[in-house]
Structure formats: structure tokens, C-alpha cells
Amino acid sequence: MSEPNVNAIPSARAAGRSRTHKVTVTAMLSAVAFVLMFIEFPIPALIPAFVKLDISDLPELLAAFSLGPVYGVVVAFLKNLLFAVLHGTLSAYVGELFNFLMGSVFAFSAGFVYRRNKSRRGALLGAVIGTLLMAVLSVPLNYFVVYPAYVVCYHLPLETIIGMYQAIRPSADGLLECLLTFNMPFTFFKGLLDVALCFLIYKPLSPLLHK
């Protein structure tokens, strides 16, 4: 009979501890992201008040950098699942789906680039790419999915919604122009805010995220 591989036992234990750590950190970041969804505020001078600013994508970015891009997506999913179950939805889950897709694109892109270039520059490049993709993708998703759903769910005519944009910029003409002029830059700014906060707090949180 062959002798047992004694080196495999510590390796298995280390792998088990690593999995447990990843699950724990993912759960913690998901809970924080869920709480951050409630901390939001409008910027009425820049965009209609029904579009609010929050930083709930920040934990997804932390997960993508510390654990890997897939974990950023998992945090985005769990955050919105918790919100839908515990808070409920007013948009037939369209808002939660949109938030999940935006956060997933943002976190996965940033984590994917960082995994291939594990440096501060790689992290910044990945985060900016993720922010750009999120901003660009927000236009077709809002145009074809989110705003039509809001018209149905909130019984608001599309002209009324466009009028909210025109109250800020009277020359805005049509939903597509409104999304390109207001929502895309707003989403890009929101992503950059998450990136800036991530770079500020990542190092202090690194022992918790990695060990």
C-alpha cells in the first residue's frame, strides 16, 4: 500500500480556509452594499431627481480586486437579491436587474484587467474601463428596458419624464438625447466616485480582505 501524502493535508486545510475566507468576505461586502443602496441622494441641478447617486457599487469593486472578478459579480447579485427580498420592488424588478447588470459590468471589467496586471496602474486602468463600459451600456438598457418599464409601472407618460430633463436643459429633445446628455455622464461620474473611494480605503481594508 502507498504511504499517505502528508503534504496534501496542510494543502487541503489551506484551500478550505481560503474558500471560507472568500465566502465570508463576499457575504460581508454584499451586506455592506445592500445597506449602501439606502444611502442615496438626488442632484437636481444636474439630473432629474428620480435618478439618485449612491455608492453601492463600491463593495463590488473591492470584491473584484481582492477576490477576483467573479466575486464582484456575486456581490452585485446578492446585494440586489437582498434588496428585492427585504425591501421589495416598485419597478417589477427592472430597477434591480439594471443595477445588477451595471454593477456586474463595472466590477468584472475592473477585476478582469487587474488580474492580468496586478499593479496600481492595472487596477486604475481596469476601473476606468469598467466605468466607461458601465456608462455606455446604461444608454441602451435605459432606452429599451428601464424607462419603458417605468412608464408602465409608474403610469408616467414618456413625455412627462422627458419634461423633467427639459426643466434642466430646455433644448433636450427626445429620450435618447436625454440619456446621452444626462445619464451617461452621470453614470460615468458615479463610477469614478466609486473608483476614488476604492483607492482611498483599499489599503486600510487589505488585511481584512486578504487574510
Side-chain angles (χ1 to χ4, degrees), residues 134-195:
M134 180 172 64
V136 172
L137 186 60
S138 70
V139 174
L141 281 177
N142 273 315
Y143 187 83
F144 291 108
V145 180
V146 177
Y147 279 63
Y150 284 172
V151 169
V152 174
C153 294
Y154 296 114
H155 306 291
L156 276 175
L158 189 58
E159 292 75 15
T160 302
I161 297 176
I162 295 174
M164 298 178 186
Y165 288 96
Q166 292 173 332
I168 303 172
R169 183 171 177 264
S171 61
D173 182 23
L175 179 60
L176 182 59
E177 182 178 336
C178 293
L179 294 174
L180 290 169
T181 305
F182 291 92
N183 290 61
M184 189 165 68
F186 177 82
T187 304
F188 184 72
F189 168 76
K190 177 182 173 183
L192 289 182
L193 177 60
D194 289 322
V195 173

Coordinates of all heavy atoms in Angstrom, one line a residue, residues 134-195:
M134 N -19.8 50.7 -18.2 CA -21.0 50.9 -17.5 C -21.8 52.1 -18.0 O -23.0 52.0 -18.2 CB -20.7 51.0 -16.0 CG -21.9 51.2 -15.1 SD -21.5 51.1 -13.4 CE -20.5 52.5 -13.2
A135 N -21.1 53.2 -18.2 CA -21.7 54.4 -18.7 C -22.3 54.2 -20.1 O -23.4 54.6 -20.4 CB -20.7 55.6 -18.7
V136 N -21.6 53.6 -21.0 CA -22.0 53.4 -22.4 C -23.2 52.4 -22.4 O -24.2 52.6 -23.0 CB -20.9 52.9 -23.3 CG1 -21.5 52.4 -24.6 CG2 -19.8 53.9 -23.4
L137 N -23.1 51.3 -21.6 CA -24.2 50.3 -21.6 C -25.5 50.9 -21.0 O -26.6 50.4 -21.3 CB -23.7 49.1 -20.8 CG -24.7 47.9 -20.8 CD1 -24.9 47.4 -22.2 CD2 -24.1 46.8 -20.0
S138 N -25.3 51.9 -20.1 CA -26.5 52.4 -19.4 C -27.5 53.0 -20.5 O -28.7 53.0 -20.2 CB -26.1 53.5 -18.4 OG -25.6 54.7 -19.1
V139 N -27.0 53.5 -21.6 CA -27.9 54.2 -22.6 C -28.9 53.2 -23.2 O -30.1 53.4 -23.1 CB -27.1 54.9 -23.6 CG1 -28.0 55.5 -24.7 CG2 -26.3 56.1 -23.0
P140 N -28.4 52.1 -23.9 CA -29.4 51.2 -24.5 C -30.3 50.5 -23.4 O -31.4 50.2 -23.7 CB -28.5 50.2 -25.2 CG -27.2 50.3 -24.6 CD -27.0 51.7 -24.2
L141 N -29.7 50.1 -22.3 CA -30.5 49.5 -21.2 C -31.6 50.4 -20.8 O -32.8 50.0 -20.6 CB -29.7 49.0 -20.1 CG -28.9 47.8 -20.3 CD1 -28.0 47.5 -19.0 CD2 -29.8 46.6 -20.5
N142 N -31.3 51.7 -20.5 CA -32.3 52.6 -20.1 C -33.3 52.9 -21.2 O -34.6 53.0 -20.9 CB -31.7 54.0 -19.7 CG -31.2 54.0 -18.3 OD1 -32.0 53.6 -17.4 ND2 -30.0 54.5 -18.0
Y143 N -32.9 53.0 -22.4 CA -33.7 53.3 -23.5 C -34.7 52.2 -23.9 O -35.9 52.5 -24.1 CB -32.9 53.7 -24.8 CG -33.7 54.2 -25.9 CD1 -34.0 55.6 -26.0 CD2 -34.1 53.4 -27.0 CE1 -34.7 56.1 -27.1 CE2 -34.8 53.9 -28.0 CZ -35.1 55.2 -28.1 OH -35.9 55.8 -29.1
F144 N -34.2 51.0 -23.9 CA -35.1 49.9 -24.4 C -35.8 49.1 -23.3 O -36.7 48.4 -23.5 CB -34.2 48.9 -25.2 CG -33.8 49.4 -26.5 CD1 -32.4 49.8 -26.7 CD2 -34.7 49.6 -27.5 CE1 -32.0 50.3 -27.9 CE2 -34.2 50.1 -28.8 CZ -32.9 50.5 -29.0
V145 N -35.2 49.2 -22.0 CA -35.8 48.4 -20.9 C -36.3 49.2 -19.8 O -37.5 49.1 -19.4 CB -34.7 47.4 -20.4 CG1 -35.3 46.5 -19.3 CG2 -34.2 46.5 -21.6
V146 N -35.4 50.0 -19.2 CA -35.8 50.6 -17.9 C -36.8 51.6 -18.0 O -37.9 51.6 -17.3 CB -34.5 51.2 -17.2 CG1 -34.9 51.9 -15.9 CG2 -33.5 50.1 -17.0
Y147 N -36.7 52.6 -18.9 CA -37.7 53.7 -19.0 C -39.0 53.2 -19.5 O -40.1 53.6 -19.0 CB -37.1 54.8 -19.8 CG -36.2 55.7 -19.0 CD1 -35.0 55.2 -18.5 CD2 -36.5 57.1 -18.8 CE1 -34.2 56.1 -17.7 CE2 -35.7 57.9 -18.0 CZ -34.5 57.4 -17.5 OH -33.7 58.2 -16.7
P148 N -39.1 52.3 -20.5 CA -40.4 51.7 -20.9 C -41.0 51.0 -19.7 O -42.3 51.1 -19.5 CB -40.0 50.8 -22.0 CG -38.8 51.3 -22.6 CD -38.0 51.9 -21.5
A149 N -40.2 50.3 -18.9 CA -40.8 49.7 -17.7 C -41.3 50.7 -16.7 O -42.4 50.5 -16.1 CB -39.8 48.8 -17.1
Y150 N -40.6 51.8 -16.5 CA -41.1 52.8 -15.6 C -42.4 53.5 -16.1 O -43.2 53.8 -15.2 CB -40.0 53.9 -15.4 CG -38.8 53.4 -14.5 CD1 -37.7 54.2 -14.4 CD2 -38.9 52.2 -13.8 CE1 -36.6 53.8 -13.6 CE2 -37.8 51.8 -13.0 CZ -36.7 52.6 -12.9 OH -35.7 52.3 -12.1
V151 N -42.5 53.6 -17.4 CA -43.8 54.2 -17.9 C -45.0 53.3 -17.5 O -46.0 53.8 -17.2 CB -43.7 54.3 -19.5 CG1 -45.0 54.6 -20.0 CG2 -42.7 55.4 -19.8
V152 N -44.7 52.0 -17.6 CA -45.8 51.0 -17.2 C -46.0 51.0 -15.7 O -47.1 51.0 -15.2 CB -45.5 49.6 -17.8 CG1 -46.5 48.6 -17.3 CG2 -45.4 49.7 -19.3
C153 N -44.9 50.9 -15.0 CA -45.0 50.7 -13.5 C -45.5 51.9 -12.8 O -46.3 51.8 -11.8 CB -43.7 50.2 -13.0 SG -43.1 48.6 -13.5
Y154 N -45.1 53.1 -13.2 CA -45.4 54.3 -12.5 C -46.5 55.1 -13.2 O -46.9 56.1 -12.7 CB -44.2 55.2 -12.4 CG -43.1 54.6 -11.5 CD1 -41.9 54.2 -12.0 CD2 -43.3 54.4 -10.2 CE1 -40.8 53.7 -11.3 CE2 -42.3 53.8 -9.4 CZ -41.1 53.5 -9.9 OH -40.1 52.9 -9.1
H155 N -47.0 54.6 -14.4 CA -48.0 55.2 -15.1 C -47.7 56.7 -15.4 O -48.5 57.6 -15.4 CB -49.4 55.2 -14.3 CG -49.7 53.8 -13.9 ND1 -50.1 52.8 -14.8 CD2 -49.8 53.2 -12.7 CE1 -50.4 51.7 -14.2 NE2 -50.2 51.9 -12.9
L156 N -46.4 56.9 -15.8 CA -45.9 58.2 -16.2 C -45.7 58.2 -17.7 O -45.0 57.4 -18.2 CB -44.6 58.5 -15.5 CG -44.6 59.1 -14.1 CD1 -43.2 59.2 -13.6 CD2 -45.3 60.4 -14.1
P157 N -46.4 59.1 -18.4 CA -46.1 59.2 -19.8 C -44.7 59.6 -20.1 O -44.0 60.3 -19.3 CB -47.1 60.4 -20.3 CG -48.1 60.5 -19.2 CD -47.4 60.1 -17.9
L158 N -44.2 59.0 -21.2 CA -42.8 59.3 -21.5 C -42.5 60.8 -21.7 O -41.4 61.3 -21.3 CB -42.4 58.5 -22.8 CG -40.9 58.5 -23.2 CD1 -40.1 57.9 -22.1 CD2 -40.7 57.8 -24.5
E159 N -43.5 61.5 -22.2 CA -43.3 63.0 -22.4 C -43.1 63.6 -21.0 O -42.4 64.6 -20.9 CB -44.6 63.5 -23.1 CG -44.7 63.1 -24.5 CD -45.2 61.7 -24.6 OE1 -45.7 61.1 -23.6 OE2 -45.1 61.1 -25.7
T160 N -43.8 63.1 -20.0 CA -43.6 63.7 -18.6 C -42.1 63.5 -18.1 O -41.5 64.4 -17.5 CB -44.6 63.1 -17.6 OG1 -45.9 63.3 -18.1 CG2 -44.4 63.7 -16.3
I161 N -41.6 62.3 -18.4 CA -40.2 62.0 -18.0 C -39.3 62.9 -18.7 O -38.3 63.5 -18.1 CB -39.9 60.5 -18.2 CG1 -40.8 59.6 -17.4 CG2 -38.5 60.2 -17.9 CD1 -40.7 58.2 -17.6
I162 N -39.5 63.0 -20.0 CA -38.6 63.9 -20.8 C -38.7 65.3 -20.4 O -37.7 66.1 -20.3 CB -38.9 63.8 -22.3 CG1 -38.6 62.3 -22.8 CG2 -38.2 64.8 -23.2 CD1 -39.1 62.1 -24.2
G163 N -39.9 65.7 -20.0 CA -40.1 67.1 -19.4 C -39.3 67.4 -18.2 O -38.9 68.5 -18.0
M164 N -39.0 66.3 -17.4 CA -38.2 66.5 -16.2 C -36.7 66.9 -16.6 O -36.0 67.6 -15.9 CB -38.2 65.3 -15.3 CG -39.6 64.9 -14.8 SD -39.5 63.4 -13.8 CE -41.3 63.2 -13.5
Y165 N -36.3 66.3 -17.7 CA -35.0 66.6 -18.2 C -35.0 68.0 -18.8 O -34.0 68.8 -18.7 CB -34.5 65.6 -19.3 CG -34.2 64.3 -18.8 CD1 -35.1 63.2 -18.8 CD2 -32.9 64.0 -18.3 CE1 -34.7 61.9 -18.3 CE2 -32.5 62.7 -17.9 CZ -33.4 61.7 -17.9 OH -33.1 60.5 -17.4
Q166 N -36.0 68.3 -19.5 CA -36.1 69.7 -20.2 C -36.2 70.8 -19.2 O -35.9 71.9 -19.5 CB -37.3 69.7 -21.1 CG -37.1 68.8 -22.3 CD -38.4 68.7 -23.2 OE1 -39.5 68.8 -22.7 NE2 -38.2 68.4 -24.5
A167 N -36.7 70.5 -18.0 CA -36.7 71.5 -16.9 C -35.3 71.9 -16.6 O -35.1 73.1 -16.1 CB -37.4 71.0 -15.7
I168 N -34.3 71.1 -16.8 CA -32.9 71.4 -16.5 C -32.2 71.9 -17.8 O -31.5 72.9 -17.7 CB -32.1 70.1 -16.0 CG1 -32.8 69.6 -14.8 CG2 -30.7 70.5 -15.7 CD1 -32.2 68.3 -14.3
R169 N -32.6 71.3 -18.9 CA -32.0 71.7 -20.2 C -33.1 71.8 -21.2 O -33.5 70.8 -21.8 CB -30.9 70.7 -20.6 CG -30.2 71.1 -21.9 CD -29.0 70.2 -22.1 NE -28.3 70.5 -23.4 CZ -28.5 69.8 -24.5 NH1 -29.4 68.8 -24.6 NH2 -27.9 70.1 -25.6
P170 N -33.7 72.9 -21.4 CA -34.9 73.1 -22.3 C -34.6 72.6 -23.7 O -35.6 72.1 -24.4 CB -35.2 74.6 -22.3 CG -34.6 75.0 -21.0 CD -33.3 74.2 -20.8
S171 N -33.4 72.6 -24.2 CA -33.2 72.2 -25.6 C -33.1 70.6 -25.8 O -33.0 70.2 -26.9 CB -31.9 72.8 -26.1 OG -30.8 72.3 -25.3
A172 N -33.2 69.9 -24.7 CA -33.2 68.4 -24.8 C -34.4 67.9 -25.6 O -35.5 68.3 -25.3 CB -33.2 67.8 -23.4
D173 N -34.1 67.1 -26.6 CA -35.1 66.7 -27.5 C -35.1 65.1 -27.6 O -34.2 64.5 -28.2 CB -34.9 67.3 -28.9 CG -36.0 66.9 -29.9 OD1 -37.1 66.6 -29.4 OD2 -35.7 67.0 -31.1
G174 N -36.1 64.5 -27.0 CA -36.2 63.1 -27.1 C -35.5 62.3 -26.0 O -34.5 62.8 -25.4
L175 N -35.9 61.1 -25.7 CA -35.3 60.3 -24.6 C -33.8 60.0 -24.9 O -33.0 60.1 -24.0 CB -36.1 59.0 -24.4 CG -35.6 58.1 -23.3 CD1 -35.6 58.8 -22.0 CD2 -36.4 56.8 -23.3
L176 N -33.5 59.6 -26.1 CA -32.1 59.2 -26.4 C -31.2 60.4 -26.1 O -30.1 60.2 -25.5 CB -32.0 58.8 -27.9 CG -30.6 58.3 -28.3 CD1 -30.2 57.1 -27.4 CD2 -30.6 57.9 -29.7
E177 N -31.5 61.6 -26.6 CA -30.6 62.7 -26.3 C -30.5 63.0 -24.8 O -29.5 63.3 -24.3 CB -31.2 64.0 -27.0 CG -30.3 65.2 -26.8 CD -30.8 66.4 -27.5 OE1 -31.5 66.2 -28.5 OE2 -30.5 67.5 -27.1
C178 N -31.6 62.8 -24.1 CA -31.6 63.0 -22.6 C -30.6 62.0 -22.0 O -29.9 62.3 -21.1 CB -33.0 62.8 -22.0 SG -34.2 64.1 -22.5
L179 N -30.7 60.7 -22.4 CA -29.8 59.7 -21.8 C -28.4 60.0 -22.1 O -27.5 59.8 -21.3 CB -30.2 58.3 -22.3 CG -31.6 57.8 -21.9 CD1 -32.0 56.5 -22.6 CD2 -31.7 57.7 -20.4
L180 N -28.1 60.4 -23.4 CA -26.7 60.7 -23.8 C -26.2 61.9 -23.1 O -25.0 62.0 -22.7 CB -26.6 60.9 -25.3 CG -26.8 59.6 -26.1 CD1 -27.0 60.0 -27.6 CD2 -25.7 58.7 -25.9
T181 N -27.1 62.9 -22.8 CA -26.6 64.2 -22.3 C -26.5 64.1 -20.7 O -25.6 64.7 -20.2 CB -27.6 65.3 -22.7 OG1 -27.7 65.4 -24.1 CG2 -27.1 66.7 -22.2
F182 N -27.5 63.4 -20.1 CA -27.5 63.4 -18.7 C -27.1 62.1 -18.1 O -26.2 62.0 -17.2 CB -29.0 63.7 -18.2 CG -29.4 65.1 -18.5 CD1 -30.1 65.4 -19.6 CD2 -29.2 66.1 -17.5 CE1 -30.5 66.7 -19.9 CE2 -29.7 67.4 -17.8 CZ -30.3 67.7 -18.9
N183 N -27.7 61.0 -18.4 CA -27.5 59.7 -17.7 C -26.1 59.1 -17.9 O -25.5 58.6 -17.0 CB -28.6 58.7 -18.1 CG -29.9 59.0 -17.6 OD1 -30.5 60.1 -17.9 ND2 -30.5 58.2 -16.8
M184 N -25.6 59.2 -19.2 CA -24.3 58.6 -19.4 C -23.2 59.3 -18.7 O -22.4 58.7 -18.0 CB -24.0 58.5 -20.9 CG -22.7 57.8 -21.3 SD -22.6 57.3 -23.0 CE -22.3 58.9 -23.7
P185 N -23.1 60.7 -18.7 CA -22.1 61.3 -17.9 C -22.3 61.1 -16.4 O -21.3 61.0 -15.6 CB -22.3 62.8 -18.3 CG -23.0 62.8 -19.6 CD -23.8 61.6 -19.6
F186 N -23.6 61.1 -16.0 CA -23.9 60.8 -14.6 C -23.4 59.5 -14.1 O -22.7 59.3 -13.0 CB -25.4 61.0 -14.3 CG -25.8 60.7 -12.9 CD1 -25.7 61.6 -11.9 CD2 -26.3 59.4 -12.5 CE1 -26.1 61.4 -10.6 CE2 -26.7 59.1 -11.2 CZ -26.5 60.1 -10.3
T187 N -23.6 58.4 -14.9 CA -23.2 57.1 -14.6 C -21.6 57.0 -14.6 O -21.0 56.4 -13.7 CB -23.7 56.1 -15.6 OG1 -25.1 56.2 -15.7 CG2 -23.3 54.7 -15.3
F188 N -21.0 57.7 -15.5 CA -19.5 57.8 -15.5 C -19.0 58.4 -14.3 O -18.0 57.9 -13.7 CB -19.1 58.5 -16.8 CG -17.6 58.5 -17.0 CD1 -16.9 57.4 -17.3 CD2 -16.9 59.7 -16.7 CE1 -15.5 57.4 -17.5 CE2 -15.5 59.7 -16.9 CZ -14.8 58.6 -17.3
F189 N -19.6 59.6 -13.9 CA -19.2 60.2 -12.6 C -19.4 59.3 -11.4 O -18.5 59.3 -10.6 CB -20.0 61.5 -12.5 CG -19.8 62.1 -11.1 CD1 -18.7 62.8 -10.8 CD2 -20.8 62.0 -10.1 CE1 -18.5 63.4 -9.5 CE2 -20.7 62.6 -8.9 CZ -19.5 63.3 -8.6
K190 N -20.5 58.6 -11.4 CA -20.8 57.7 -10.3 C -19.7 56.6 -10.2 O -19.2 56.3 -9.1 CB -22.2 57.1 -10.5 CG -22.6 56.1 -9.4 CD -23.9 55.5 -9.7 CE -24.3 54.3 -8.8 NZ -25.5 53.7 -9.1
G191 N -19.3 56.1 -11.3 CA -18.3 55.1 -11.3 C -17.0 55.6 -10.9 O -16.3 55.0 -10.1
L192 N -16.6 56.8 -11.3 CA -15.4 57.4 -10.9 C -15.3 57.7 -9.4 O -14.3 57.6 -8.8 CB -15.1 58.7 -11.7 CG -14.7 58.6 -13.2 CD1 -14.5 59.9 -13.8 CD2 -13.5 57.6 -13.4
L193 N -16.5 58.0 -8.9 CA -16.6 58.3 -7.4 C -16.3 57.0 -6.7 O -15.6 57.0 -5.7 CB -18.0 58.8 -7.1 CG -18.3 59.0 -5.6 CD1 -17.3 60.0 -5.0 CD2 -19.7 59.5 -5.4
D194 N -16.9 55.9 -7.1 CA -16.6 54.6 -6.5 C -15.1 54.2 -6.6 O -14.5 53.6 -5.7 CB -17.4 53.5 -7.2 CG -18.9 53.6 -6.9 OD1 -19.2 53.9 -5.7 OD2 -19.7 53.3 -7.7
V195 N -14.5 54.5 -7.8 CA -13.1 54.2 -8.0 C -12.2 55.0 -7.0 O -11.3 54.5 -6.4 CB -12.7 54.5 -9.5 CG1 -11.2 54.4 -9.6 CG2 -13.4 53.6 -10.4

